[in-house]
Amino acid sequence: MGPRGLPLLVATLAGCLFPARGCVICDPKVREALNSLEMDYLPGHLEANHHKKVMEKIKQALEDFKDLPIDEDSYMGVVDEATLEKSSWSLLKDMKRITDSDAKGELFVKEMLWMLHLAKNTFASYAAQFQKEGLMLQPLIWCSTCQKQVHACRKSKNCGEREVKVHHMEDMILDCELNWHKISQGLTDYSFYRVWKNNSETLVSKGKEPILTKTMVRPKDAGTYRCELGSIQSSPATIIYFHVTVLPKRIQEEIPSPNTETQDETALGEVALDRPHTTTDFEPQTPKPEQLLRRRLLGVLIWGLVVLTVGVLTAILFSRSGKVVDFIKSRFSSGSRAA
């Protein structure tokens, strides 16, 4: 459905005279929850003569979800499956909160109707978000009839600009994919263009791949690139601009290998052999506190063993020297007696 069909769509939606249904009530899970509410919860929490009237109010409140202003930027009477599921999940969560609280009588009725009022505002915000997400053909659910058909959603094709910075001789990666591309229909190829200063363009790549990768970029690769996702219609679905800046090469230090001789170490008349050098980032390593403590304890232990050894040897020498002196004295005394 092109732009010319937009006024007709608005007129059709505005002129619906038959009873319409709100979008969330199109979800089978919501209808099942309403049936459980009527059959299982109300009998024990509300007087029987009020059941029919209360259920009519609840269903009417859900159908009133469709009564939102028709606007190209917020609501056009249709939503996608993801928006319906998100809105239904929010509604069911709030309904469960009320039933888990075991509310009864008038309190239950007031809480339920107020919750439905807030749920309508939540649905309006989800519908507005859906309406602004991009141009695509996808299955949509008409809130008036709960019918699912493939329709064109009017979206803004200009998806902004991206700043990309990459270092010299490293890889440049430009990603053109958006989250809704995979669920849309009628899309064709991704085209990447190099945009020059005179506004002329050169096609760089085209295909199903949403990512452009250029290895080992140089300063001449800096500039503006444009990505365009085509569609079966005349206009593209997505346009993104990338402004690429090539930064200087990362700084690295050369550490010579252990077998490399310097020029001063090479003797005169000898031929210096070329040996490979290893290029790496140099980071001085500081010993950890545990290593320092271990080294100190080892040193104390070694010195203790040395002192103990010296003490033992000294004691042995002193003990032996005493025995020798006693032996000499005894021999000397016996010789004197003989004389």
Side-chain angles (χ1 to χ4, degrees):
M1 182 181 297
R4 295 181 179 179
L6 189 58
L8 179 60
L9 173 61
V10 175
T12 302
L13 292 175
C16 289
L17 300 179
F18 52 87
R21 307 175 70 181
C23 264
V24 290
I25 209 170
C26 298
D27 192 329
K29 295 190 294 294
V30 173
R31 295 197 295 270
E32 182 180 350
L34 290 177
N35 184 63
S36 176
L37 181 69
E38 182 177 9
M39 303 302 296
D40 301 329
Y41 187 83
L42 290 188
H45 297 79
L46 190 66
E47 295 181 5
N49 58 330
H50 295 309
H51 289 187
K52 182 178 180 181
K53 185 176 181 180
V54 169
M55 287 305 302
E56 288 177 353
K57 286 186 177 181
I58 293 175
K59 292 178 181 179
Q60 183 60 46
L62 289 173
E63 291 175 357
D64 288 344
F65 279 31
K66 66 176 176 54
D67 295 332
L68 296 174
I70 299 298
D71 185 83
E72 295 181 9
D73 296 325
S74 59
Y75 181 67
M76 291 295 294
V78 293
V79 296
D80 64 342
E81 292 180 314
T83 302
L84 175 60
E85 182 176 357
K86 186 163 53 174
S87 302
S88 300
W89 181 85
S90 178
L91 174 66
L92 294 174
K93 180 186 67 174
D94 290 337
M95 287 182 63
K96 187 176 186 301
R97 175 182 56 80
I98 293 177
T99 55
D100 287 347
S101 69
D102 203 31
K104 298 181 180 181
E106 185 178 356
L107 177 61
F108 162 74
V109 177
K110 288 183 177 180
E111 287 193 5
M112 181 63 68
L113 294 180
W114 177 247
M115 181 275 292
L116 293 174
H117 170 73
L118 297 178
K120 181 178 179 180
N121 295 335
T122 302
F123 168 74
S125 65
Y126 289 154
Q129 181 182 356
F130 155 74
Q131 195 64 25
K132 297 178 180 179
E133 283 183 345
L135 172 64
M136 52 184 167
L137 292 175
Q138 66 177 126
L140 300 180
I141 300 167
W142 288 72
C143 296
S144 59
T145 62
C146 292
Q147 292 182 352
K148 183 192 300 184
Q149 296 178 358
V150 176
H151 294 278
C153 303
R154 188 202 62 80
K155 314 283 185 180
S156 174
K157 66 180 180 180
N158 192 343
C159 296
E161 302 178 356
R162 311 283 190 271
E163 295 291 336
V164 179
K165 295 182 179 181
V166 58
H167 286 274
H168 182 211
M169 300 304 292
E170 295 185 1
D171 295 346
M172 176 186 73
I173 300 176
L174 306 182
D175 190 352
C176 192
E177 186 177 37
L178 300 179
N179 57 0
W180 54 266
H181 286 176
K182 292 182 179 180
I183 64 174
S184 60
Q185 301 180 14
L187 303 180
T188 55
D189 296 325
Y190 292 90
S191 300
F192 288 88
Y193 298 88
R194 175 71 185 270
V195 182
W196 306 100
K197 293 183 178 180
N198 60 358
N199 291 328
S200 63
E201 297 182 343
T202 302
L203 180 63
V204 178
S205 71
K206 182 176 182 179
K208 301 298 182 182
E209 179 60 41
I211 297 177
L212 172 66
T213 302
K214 184 173 179 58
T215 60
M216 302 180 67
V217 297
R218 302 177 181 274
K220 65 179 182 179
D221 297 315
T224 301
Y225 294 78
R226 183 173 68 89
C227 168
E228 179 179 298
L229 174 59
S231 67
I232 60 176
Q233 297 180 340
S234 57
S235 60
T238 297
I239 295 178
I240 300 178
Y241 284 89
F242 299 90
H243 301 290
V244 178
T245 302
V246 178
L247 302 176
K249 190 176 181 180
R250 296 183 188 272
I251 299 177
Q252 295 179 333
E253 294 185 11
E254 288 188 357
I255 300 179
S257 61
N259 297 327
T260 302
E261 295 180 357
T262 61
Q263 184 176 358
D264 296 336
E265 295 173 345
T266 305
L268 295 176
E270 294 182 357
V271 179
L273 299 178
D274 293 334
R275 295 183 175 89
H277 289 69
T278 303
T279 303
T280 182
D281 292 333
F282 177 74
E283 295 183 0
Q285 296 184 352
T286 304
K288 297 182 179 180
E290 295 82 358
Q291 295 177 346
L292 292 176
L293 180 60
R294 190 180 296 111
R295 293 176 184 175
R296 291 179 182 177
L297 291 176
L298 182 60
V300 171
L301 181 61
I302 293 174
W303 277 108
L305 291 175
V306 171
V307 172
L308 180 61
T309 303
V310 171
V312 171
L313 292 176
T314 303
I316 293 174
L317 290 175
F318 272 106
S319 62
R320 289 185 177 181
S321 61
K323 292 181 179 180
V324 172
V325 172
D326 293 340
F327 177 75
I328 295 175
K329 287 182 178 181
S330 63
R331 296 296 296 175
F332 180 78
S333 59
S334 62
S336 299
R337 293 169 184 172

